[in-house]
Amino acid sequence: MPKLYLVRRGLETFIGPMPLTELREHWQKMAFGPQDEVAGHCGRWVAIEHTSQLVKTYPDVARALNGGSSWQGDSGTKRLPTAPEAPDAARQGGRRTLGLALLFLTIAVGAAVAAVYLASGGTAFSGKLAQPREPAFGAKEAEALLAGENAEAFLAAMATHEAEFVARAGRSREEFAELIPVLRAYAFLGSGEIDGISPKLLRGTGATTAPTDCSEKIWRKRWRESAKQWKDLTSGRQLVRTHWARLLLWDPHWIRRRESRGWINPLNYHAACINTAHRALLQIRNERSALPGAEPLSLPEVELEAVQRRLQWLVEMSFMSEPVVAPPAPAAEDFLGALTCIEGATSPAAATECRSRFRSTPAGDARSLDGGASAYLDERVGWTLLRFALRSLGAPNAELSANITARFSRLVAGDSQTRLDYLVELRALQASWQLNVTLPQGEAESGADRHDVKLNR
Amino acid sequence: MLVTMVGATDIGRKRKTNQDSIYFDEPQGLGIVADGIGGRKGGEIASSIAVNGLRKAFLNSDRIRHEEVNSFLVTAVDRINQEIIDRGNDETEIAGMGTTMNCVMFVGDKCHIAHIGDSRTYLWYDKHFFQLTLDHNVANFVERGWLPKATLPEGAKDSALVRAIGLTQRCEVDIQEMKLRKGQIFLTCSDGLTGMVEDRQIAKLITDHAHEFEKLPKILIDAANRGGGKDNITVLLSQVKGA
């Protein structure tokens, strides 16, 4: 009976149990990657990328995954170390003889090439052979085009080099780390997807509370399928717990403060996701009138406007240095408008005023399963106070300090709906103001590890 | 997929009360094991709230599709967490109670596992045995770099729980899914079993007695009691029979 192994992907899904041959096939197809884990019968989970542990714990797996894989390089790139094998003197002797023969052959060919080159006065091999070995267009060149805000040139160059970059990113962790920021920028300047790079790899590990797939295609599907539920959210009747609803509740200030590793433009996955969600909504809105004869897509107009306004605000806030349009005063039952108003407030008093404008419908019970729209707006006023407090890190404000302490003394370090994590901000305030707030151990550091947080914004 | 479920709970040999709770509904494909946190008053109440809360949420919901499972579980656990906290706030003698929870939910051709704490779900398949869930304890969080050692209070035990229902306002639940295959057996259990019986021994017992599946809960509980029975023992087994 062959030994079986199980692969755990991102602590979420499993492949297997399967024998080594099947494991290797999945590896070659990139069904799982170096960051995923493998376990054997009654064994511990070991990340594939922890090569020394893998060799020690599952040497046969290390051998099976070594070589021939799309993740591992085949020319000078890092490979998984091979588990020790029994010495085979005869085979080694054969290899030595073959090596010597190859060496002599190489010397002979080299001498012939040099002779022809010298005889031609240095003009021979001016074609392909004389091209520099390093690729003319690499990650640095692509990043330079982006930094110069030359999007058209960047897109044109990337269109030519996309397949090459994807192939190189699959060879090794080092090349993946080098190229993935550029590939992400390219993906999200377009439709939010790239052939050969899974949505999960495009997202990365720094945004696990965001949807795995933020391509325009998926957003069009999400918007179409959710249209009937929009009113629940826009009126604050129910805080719908789905990806589209959570995205509409995201805090753009939180997004602006975070520069994620592996992202250059936009600064993080959340911003990228907002952009594709916005474009997808515009597309399905336009499709309605552009498809004569097709069955008309029924979208609730009032709610469509509310969702559209909210997305527009999120895009502007996430991408522009300053908001272009000030948020209008919300109507009494405009939940998303109230949220935008709170986010656009320029003082704690203005945020409270925005909150007070909203009146929940009777079904929006503050103690309902979903927390209630009113209760959630109160919570968002709290996060807004935190934003004002961050502006005066060096100069503690007694009133704000008391207000924040009162709100956060019962340990609410993450947004109850969007699950965006404010631990880094709270820790900064705690350190600066001696805030009397109890925070969970550990999680702040892991959050900070995923992002560089600009606390002064 | 057709799934058969058997389960049992036992007080063990040392404890005066059984703070574990179990529920399973074979036709609906739902199984839940919760372990009230030891040493805290009200562990029994907390585990009971967790199991009953999830059961009610499940029975009150419409038919749940694959794509709705995650949001259903997250919402239900949030609600249970709040219920336990509120109950603790109302009754000071049980304030601070908490519970672990492991839930298996069979929808279509997949098993969805919701997990908080150190109760576990294992997979047995073709004589092989794998632990599917990651214990939410100090040792695992430190090893994975999620919990810096410097932030730990002095004397923190490796087995101390980092996550459980009812301890903080924010309760994160791990949700995993696995494609079903005929012959798989999912074992969901409290640490009263895994603390007393080695994984290899559990695997051997399942392998040796897979043909008398309905007897397995008792066989495993007896093994835990033979090993010392220091904690309450709860065992739930779900066997995939095929289409």
PDB file of all heavy atoms in Angstrom, chain A residues 329-360:
ATOM      1  N   ALA A 329     -24.465  65.767   2.312  1.00  0.00           N
ATOM      2  CA  ALA A 329     -25.176  65.413   3.551  1.00  0.00           C
ATOM      3  C   ALA A 329     -26.149  64.279   3.234  1.00  0.00           C
ATOM      4  O   ALA A 329     -26.858  64.327   2.234  1.00  0.00           O
ATOM      5  CB  ALA A 329     -25.930  66.624   4.068  1.00  0.00           C
ATOM      6  N   PRO A 330     -26.159  63.232   4.053  1.00  0.00           N
ATOM      7  CA  PRO A 330     -27.003  62.078   3.736  1.00  0.00           C
ATOM      8  C   PRO A 330     -28.470  62.309   4.092  1.00  0.00           C
ATOM      9  O   PRO A 330     -28.785  63.101   4.979  1.00  0.00           O
ATOM     10  CB  PRO A 330     -26.419  60.978   4.623  1.00  0.00           C
ATOM     11  CG  PRO A 330     -25.853  61.713   5.796  1.00  0.00           C
ATOM     12  CD  PRO A 330     -25.394  63.037   5.292  1.00  0.00           C
ATOM     13  N   ALA A 331     -29.346  61.583   3.384  1.00  0.00           N
ATOM     14  CA  ALA A 331     -30.761  61.587   3.766  1.00  0.00           C
ATOM     15  C   ALA A 331     -30.915  60.731   5.020  1.00  0.00           C
ATOM     16  O   ALA A 331     -30.007  59.987   5.396  1.00  0.00           O
ATOM     17  CB  ALA A 331     -31.584  61.009   2.618  1.00  0.00           C
ATOM     18  N   ALA A 332     -32.099  60.821   5.649  1.00  0.00           N
ATOM     19  CA  ALA A 332     -32.297  60.177   6.950  1.00  0.00           C
ATOM     20  C   ALA A 332     -32.064  58.670   6.916  1.00  0.00           C
ATOM     21  O   ALA A 332     -31.514  58.104   7.844  1.00  0.00           O
ATOM     22  CB  ALA A 332     -33.696  60.472   7.456  1.00  0.00           C
ATOM     23  N   GLU A 333     -32.486  58.007   5.830  1.00  0.00           N
ATOM     24  CA  GLU A 333     -32.370  56.553   5.803  1.00  0.00           C
ATOM     25  C   GLU A 333     -31.286  56.069   4.848  1.00  0.00           C
ATOM     26  O   GLU A 333     -31.298  54.933   4.393  1.00  0.00           O
ATOM     27  CB  GLU A 333     -33.719  55.924   5.444  1.00  0.00           C
ATOM     28  CG  GLU A 333     -34.720  56.094   6.571  1.00  0.00           C
ATOM     29  CD  GLU A 333     -36.033  55.396   6.287  1.00  0.00           C
ATOM     30  OE1 GLU A 333     -36.151  54.761   5.231  1.00  0.00           O
ATOM     31  OE2 GLU A 333     -36.935  55.504   7.127  1.00  0.00           O
ATOM     32  N   ASP A 334     -30.339  56.947   4.538  1.00  0.00           N
ATOM     33  CA  ASP A 334     -29.247  56.598   3.635  1.00  0.00           C
ATOM     34  C   ASP A 334     -28.065  56.121   4.472  1.00  0.00           C
ATOM     35  O   ASP A 334     -27.208  56.908   4.887  1.00  0.00           O
ATOM     36  CB  ASP A 334     -28.877  57.834   2.795  1.00  0.00           C
ATOM     37  CG  ASP A 334     -27.740  57.546   1.820  1.00  0.00           C
ATOM     38  OD1 ASP A 334     -27.270  56.392   1.778  1.00  0.00           O
ATOM     39  OD2 ASP A 334     -27.332  58.479   1.112  1.00  0.00           O
ATOM     40  N   PHE A 335     -28.024  54.822   4.701  1.00  0.00           N
ATOM     41  CA  PHE A 335     -26.995  54.247   5.574  1.00  0.00           C
ATOM     42  C   PHE A 335     -25.597  54.429   4.989  1.00  0.00           C
ATOM     43  O   PHE A 335     -24.675  54.878   5.680  1.00  0.00           O
ATOM     44  CB  PHE A 335     -27.296  52.760   5.795  1.00  0.00           C
ATOM     45  CG  PHE A 335     -26.212  52.028   6.520  1.00  0.00           C
ATOM     46  CD1 PHE A 335     -25.916  52.325   7.845  1.00  0.00           C
ATOM     47  CD2 PHE A 335     -25.475  51.035   5.896  1.00  0.00           C
ATOM     48  CE1 PHE A 335     -24.917  51.650   8.525  1.00  0.00           C
ATOM     49  CE2 PHE A 335     -24.473  50.357   6.564  1.00  0.00           C
ATOM     50  CZ  PHE A 335     -24.195  50.664   7.874  1.00  0.00           C
ATOM     51  N   LEU A 336     -25.444  54.122   3.695  1.00  0.00           N
ATOM     52  CA  LEU A 336     -24.121  54.255   3.082  1.00  0.00           C
ATOM     53  C   LEU A 336     -23.698  55.726   3.022  1.00  0.00           C
ATOM     54  O   LEU A 336     -22.517  56.053   3.181  1.00  0.00           O
ATOM     55  CB  LEU A 336     -24.118  53.638   1.676  1.00  0.00           C
ATOM     56  CG  LEU A 336     -24.261  52.115   1.611  1.00  0.00           C
ATOM     57  CD1 LEU A 336     -24.251  51.638   0.165  1.00  0.00           C
ATOM     58  CD2 LEU A 336     -23.159  51.420   2.391  1.00  0.00           C
ATOM     59  N   GLY A 337     -24.681  56.598   2.808  1.00  0.00           N
ATOM     60  CA  GLY A 337     -24.392  58.038   2.796  1.00  0.00           C
ATOM     61  C   GLY A 337     -23.906  58.503   4.164  1.00  0.00           C
ATOM     62  O   GLY A 337     -22.983  59.319   4.266  1.00  0.00           O
ATOM     63  N   ALA A 338     -24.537  57.980   5.211  1.00  0.00           N
ATOM     64  CA  ALA A 338     -24.120  58.352   6.566  1.00  0.00           C
ATOM     65  C   ALA A 338     -22.686  57.893   6.820  1.00  0.00           C
ATOM     66  O   ALA A 338     -21.880  58.611   7.423  1.00  0.00           O
ATOM     67  CB  ALA A 338     -25.066  57.721   7.583  1.00  0.00           C
ATOM     68  N   LEU A 339     -22.374  56.704   6.315  1.00  0.00           N
ATOM     69  CA  LEU A 339     -21.024  56.167   6.482  1.00  0.00           C
ATOM     70  C   LEU A 339     -19.997  57.061   5.775  1.00  0.00           C
ATOM     71  O   LEU A 339     -18.958  57.420   6.329  1.00  0.00           O
ATOM     72  CB  LEU A 339     -21.001  54.763   5.856  1.00  0.00           C
ATOM     73  CG  LEU A 339     -20.043  53.738   6.407  1.00  0.00           C
ATOM     74  CD1 LEU A 339     -20.209  53.580   7.900  1.00  0.00           C
ATOM     75  CD2 LEU A 339     -20.273  52.406   5.709  1.00  0.00           C
ATOM     76  N   THR A 340     -20.325  57.437   4.543  1.00  0.00           N
ATOM     77  CA  THR A 340     -19.441  58.313   3.768  1.00  0.00           C
ATOM     78  C   THR A 340     -19.275  59.655   4.478  1.00  0.00           C
ATOM     79  O   THR A 340     -18.180  60.216   4.535  1.00  0.00           O
ATOM     80  CB  THR A 340     -20.022  58.515   2.354  1.00  0.00           C
ATOM     81  OG1 THR A 340     -20.154  57.239   1.733  1.00  0.00           O
ATOM     82  CG2 THR A 340     -19.141  59.401   1.502  1.00  0.00           C
ATOM     83  N   CYS A 341     -20.389  60.162   4.999  1.00  0.00           N
ATOM     84  CA  CYS A 341     -20.372  61.446   5.708  1.00  0.00           C
ATOM     85  C   CYS A 341     -19.437  61.371   6.918  1.00  0.00           C
ATOM     86  O   CYS A 341     -18.622  62.270   7.146  1.00  0.00           O
ATOM     87  CB  CYS A 341     -21.802  61.781   6.131  1.00  0.00           C
ATOM     88  SG  CYS A 341     -21.972  63.348   6.984  1.00  0.00           S
ATOM     89  N   ILE A 342     -19.522  60.265   7.661  1.00  0.00           N
ATOM     90  CA  ILE A 342     -18.655  60.091   8.841  1.00  0.00           C
ATOM     91  C   ILE A 342     -17.186  60.055   8.401  1.00  0.00           C
ATOM     92  O   ILE A 342     -16.322  60.695   9.006  1.00  0.00           O
ATOM     93  CB  ILE A 342     -19.032  58.794   9.593  1.00  0.00           C
ATOM     94  CG1 ILE A 342     -20.394  58.959  10.274  1.00  0.00           C
ATOM     95  CG2 ILE A 342     -17.970  58.424  10.625  1.00  0.00           C
ATOM     96  CD1 ILE A 342     -20.978  57.675  10.845  1.00  0.00           C
ATOM     97  N   GLU A 343     -16.926  59.320   7.329  1.00  0.00           N
ATOM     98  CA  GLU A 343     -15.544  59.201   6.858  1.00  0.00           C
ATOM     99  C   GLU A 343     -15.003  60.527   6.333  1.00  0.00           C
ATOM    100  O   GLU A 343     -13.814  60.801   6.409  1.00  0.00           O
ATOM    101  CB  GLU A 343     -15.458  58.145   5.747  1.00  0.00           C
ATOM    102  CG  GLU A 343     -15.641  56.734   6.262  1.00  0.00           C
ATOM    103  CD  GLU A 343     -16.015  55.754   5.155  1.00  0.00           C
ATOM    104  OE1 GLU A 343     -16.183  56.183   3.996  1.00  0.00           O
ATOM    105  OE2 GLU A 343     -16.170  54.562   5.468  1.00  0.00           O
ATOM    106  N   GLY A 344     -15.897  61.349   5.798  1.00  0.00           N
ATOM    107  CA  GLY A 344     -15.456  62.631   5.250  1.00  0.00           C
ATOM    108  C   GLY A 344     -15.434  63.737   6.287  1.00  0.00           C
ATOM    109  O   GLY A 344     -15.023  64.865   5.985  1.00  0.00           O
ATOM    110  N   ALA A 345     -15.865  63.450   7.507  1.00  0.00           N
ATOM    111  CA  ALA A 345     -15.953  64.486   8.543  1.00  0.00           C
ATOM    112  C   ALA A 345     -14.571  65.048   8.861  1.00  0.00           C
ATOM    113  O   ALA A 345     -13.579  64.324   8.837  1.00  0.00           O
ATOM    114  CB  ALA A 345     -16.578  63.887   9.802  1.00  0.00           C
ATOM    115  N   THR A 346     -14.547  66.329   9.137  1.00  0.00           N
ATOM    116  CA  THR A 346     -13.266  66.968   9.415  1.00  0.00           C
ATOM    117  C   THR A 346     -13.055  67.229  10.903  1.00  0.00           C
ATOM    118  O   THR A 346     -12.051  67.806  11.297  1.00  0.00           O
ATOM    119  CB  THR A 346     -13.166  68.311   8.654  1.00  0.00           C
ATOM    120  OG1 THR A 346     -14.354  69.073   8.946  1.00  0.00           O
ATOM    121  CG2 THR A 346     -13.060  68.082   7.156  1.00  0.00           C
ATOM    122  N   SER A 347     -14.012  66.826  11.717  1.00  0.00           N
ATOM    123  CA  SER A 347     -13.842  66.977  13.165  1.00  0.00           C
ATOM    124  C   SER A 347     -14.707  65.925  13.868  1.00  0.00           C
ATOM    125  O   SER A 347     -15.666  65.407  13.275  1.00  0.00           O
ATOM    126  CB  SER A 347     -14.289  68.369  13.621  1.00  0.00           C
ATOM    127  OG  SER A 347     -15.700  68.472  13.490  1.00  0.00           O
ATOM    128  N   PRO A 348     -14.399  65.603  15.123  1.00  0.00           N
ATOM    129  CA  PRO A 348     -15.227  64.642  15.854  1.00  0.00           C
ATOM    130  C   PRO A 348     -16.694  65.084  15.910  1.00  0.00           C
ATOM    131  O   PRO A 348     -17.606  64.253  15.766  1.00  0.00           O
ATOM    132  CB  PRO A 348     -14.603  64.622  17.248  1.00  0.00           C
ATOM    133  CG  PRO A 348     -13.177  64.986  17.025  1.00  0.00           C
ATOM    134  CD  PRO A 348     -13.190  65.971  15.900  1.00  0.00           C
ATOM    135  N   ALA A 349     -16.905  66.368  16.061  1.00  0.00           N
ATOM    136  CA  ALA A 349     -18.288  66.856  16.148  1.00  0.00           C
ATOM    137  C   ALA A 349     -19.024  66.627  14.826  1.00  0.00           C
ATOM    138  O   ALA A 349     -20.201  66.235  14.820  1.00  0.00           O
ATOM    139  CB  ALA A 349     -18.289  68.343  16.500  1.00  0.00           C
ATOM    140  N   ALA A 350     -18.314  66.844  13.718  1.00  0.00           N
ATOM    141  CA  ALA A 350     -18.946  66.644  12.406  1.00  0.00           C
ATOM    142  C   ALA A 350     -19.295  65.171  12.197  1.00  0.00           C
ATOM    143  O   ALA A 350     -20.340  64.835  11.632  1.00  0.00           O
ATOM    144  CB  ALA A 350     -18.010  67.124  11.301  1.00  0.00           C
ATOM    145  N   ALA A 351     -18.427  64.280  12.675  1.00  0.00           N
ATOM    146  CA  ALA A 351     -18.698  62.840  12.545  1.00  0.00           C
ATOM    147  C   ALA A 351     -19.944  62.466  13.345  1.00  0.00           C
ATOM    148  O   ALA A 351     -20.804  61.705  12.874  1.00  0.00           O
ATOM    149  CB  ALA A 351     -17.498  62.039  13.040  1.00  0.00           C
ATOM    150  N   THR A 352     -20.057  63.010  14.534  1.00  0.00           N
ATOM    151  CA  THR A 352     -21.230  62.724  15.377  1.00  0.00           C
ATOM    152  C   THR A 352     -22.496  63.263  14.721  1.00  0.00           C
ATOM    153  O   THR A 352     -23.561  62.648  14.776  1.00  0.00           O
ATOM    154  CB  THR A 352     -21.027  63.361  16.769  1.00  0.00           C
ATOM    155  OG1 THR A 352     -19.731  62.986  17.241  1.00  0.00           O
ATOM    156  CG2 THR A 352     -22.071  62.872  17.761  1.00  0.00           C
ATOM    157  N   GLU A 353     -22.361  64.429  14.086  1.00  0.00           N
ATOM    158  CA  GLU A 353     -23.510  65.033  13.399  1.00  0.00           C
ATOM    159  C   GLU A 353     -23.968  64.120  12.238  1.00  0.00           C
ATOM    160  O   GLU A 353     -25.165  63.896  12.051  1.00  0.00           O
ATOM    161  CB  GLU A 353     -23.101  66.423  12.884  1.00  0.00           C
ATOM    162  CG  GLU A 353     -24.055  67.077  11.895  1.00  0.00           C
ATOM    163  CD  GLU A 353     -25.436  67.345  12.480  1.00  0.00           C
ATOM    164  OE1 GLU A 353     -25.552  67.373  13.718  1.00  0.00           O
ATOM    165  OE2 GLU A 353     -26.401  67.501  11.682  1.00  0.00           O
ATOM    166  N   CYS A 354     -23.008  63.585  11.490  1.00  0.00           N
ATOM    167  CA  CYS A 354     -23.347  62.659  10.396  1.00  0.00           C
ATOM    168  C   CYS A 354     -24.098  61.458  10.954  1.00  0.00           C
ATOM    169  O   CYS A 354     -25.085  60.995  10.376  1.00  0.00           O
ATOM    170  CB  CYS A 354     -22.083  62.158   9.700  1.00  0.00           C
ATOM    171  SG  CYS A 354     -21.183  63.415   8.812  1.00  0.00           S
ATOM    172  N   ARG A 355     -23.608  60.951  12.057  1.00  0.00           N
ATOM    173  CA  ARG A 355     -24.228  59.775  12.681  1.00  0.00           C
ATOM    174  C   ARG A 355     -25.672  60.076  13.088  1.00  0.00           C
ATOM    175  O   ARG A 355     -26.573  59.254  12.892  1.00  0.00           O
ATOM    176  CB  ARG A 355     -23.388  59.364  13.905  1.00  0.00           C
ATOM    177  CG  ARG A 355     -24.077  58.501  14.945  1.00  0.00           C
ATOM    178  CD  ARG A 355     -24.368  57.115  14.418  1.00  0.00           C
ATOM    179  NE  ARG A 355     -25.235  56.387  15.308  1.00  0.00           N
ATOM    180  CZ  ARG A 355     -26.561  56.350  15.203  1.00  0.00           C
ATOM    181  NH1 ARG A 355     -27.184  57.021  14.255  1.00  0.00           N
ATOM    182  NH2 ARG A 355     -27.280  55.623  16.033  1.00  0.00           N
ATOM    183  N   SER A 356     -25.881  61.252  13.633  1.00  0.00           N
ATOM    184  CA  SER A 356     -27.210  61.568  14.171  1.00  0.00           C
ATOM    185  C   SER A 356     -28.245  61.766  13.066  1.00  0.00           C
ATOM    186  O   SER A 356     -29.443  61.686  13.302  1.00  0.00           O
ATOM    187  CB  SER A 356     -27.147  62.815  15.055  1.00  0.00           C
ATOM    188  OG  SER A 356     -26.790  63.915  14.252  1.00  0.00           O
ATOM    189  N   ARG A 357     -27.777  62.017  11.837  1.00  0.00           N
ATOM    190  CA  ARG A 357     -28.714  62.203  10.725  1.00  0.00           C
ATOM    191  C   ARG A 357     -29.417  60.897  10.360  1.00  0.00           C
ATOM    192  O   ARG A 357     -30.510  60.895   9.834  1.00  0.00           O
ATOM    193  CB  ARG A 357     -27.972  62.702   9.481  1.00  0.00           C
ATOM    194  CG  ARG A 357     -27.677  64.177   9.497  1.00  0.00           C
ATOM    195  CD  ARG A 357     -26.844  64.530   8.289  1.00  0.00           C
ATOM    196  NE  ARG A 357     -26.638  65.954   8.220  1.00  0.00           N
ATOM    197  CZ  ARG A 357     -27.453  66.805   7.602  1.00  0.00           C
ATOM    198  NH1 ARG A 357     -28.537  66.358   7.009  1.00  0.00           N
ATOM    199  NH2 ARG A 357     -27.200  68.086   7.592  1.00  0.00           N
ATOM    200  N   PHE A 358     -28.729  59.795  10.612  1.00  0.00           N
ATOM    201  CA  PHE A 358     -29.290  58.508  10.179  1.00  0.00           C
ATOM    202  C   PHE A 358     -30.320  58.002  11.180  1.00  0.00           C
ATOM    203  O   PHE A 358     -30.089  57.987  12.386  1.00  0.00           O
ATOM    204  CB  PHE A 358     -28.179  57.464  10.042  1.00  0.00           C
ATOM    205  CG  PHE A 358     -28.690  56.102   9.662  1.00  0.00           C
ATOM    206  CD1 PHE A 358     -29.119  55.838   8.368  1.00  0.00           C
ATOM    207  CD2 PHE A 358     -28.768  55.086  10.604  1.00  0.00           C
ATOM    208  CE1 PHE A 358     -29.609  54.592   8.022  1.00  0.00           C
ATOM    209  CE2 PHE A 358     -29.249  53.843  10.267  1.00  0.00           C
ATOM    210  CZ  PHE A 358     -29.670  53.603   8.985  1.00  0.00           C
ATOM    211  N   ARG A 359     -31.468  57.607  10.648  1.00  0.00           N
ATOM    212  CA  ARG A 359     -32.490  56.988  11.496  1.00  0.00           C
ATOM    213  C   ARG A 359     -32.746  55.589  10.950  1.00  0.00           C
ATOM    214  O   ARG A 359     -33.144  55.435   9.796  1.00  0.00           O
ATOM    215  CB  ARG A 359     -33.789  57.797  11.476  1.00  0.00           C
ATOM    216  CG  ARG A 359     -33.659  59.096  12.212  1.00  0.00           C
ATOM    217  CD  ARG A 359     -34.939  59.879  12.211  1.00  0.00           C
ATOM    218  NE  ARG A 359     -34.696  61.214  12.720  1.00  0.00           N
ATOM    219  CZ  ARG A 359     -34.226  62.212  12.003  1.00  0.00           C
ATOM    220  NH1 ARG A 359     -33.975  62.041  10.733  1.00  0.00           N
ATOM    221  NH2 ARG A 359     -34.014  63.397  12.540  1.00  0.00           N
ATOM    222  N   SER A 360     -32.520  54.596  11.817  1.00  0.00           N
ATOM    223  CA  SER A 360     -32.673  53.227  11.319  1.00  0.00           C
ATOM    224  C   SER A 360     -34.152  52.904  11.140  1.00  0.00           C
ATOM    225  O   SER A 360     -35.011  53.410  11.851  1.00  0.00           O
ATOM    226  CB  SER A 360     -32.042  52.233  12.284  1.00  0.00           C
ATOM    227  OG  SER A 360     -32.828  52.112  13.423  1.00  0.00           O
TER     228      SER A 360
END
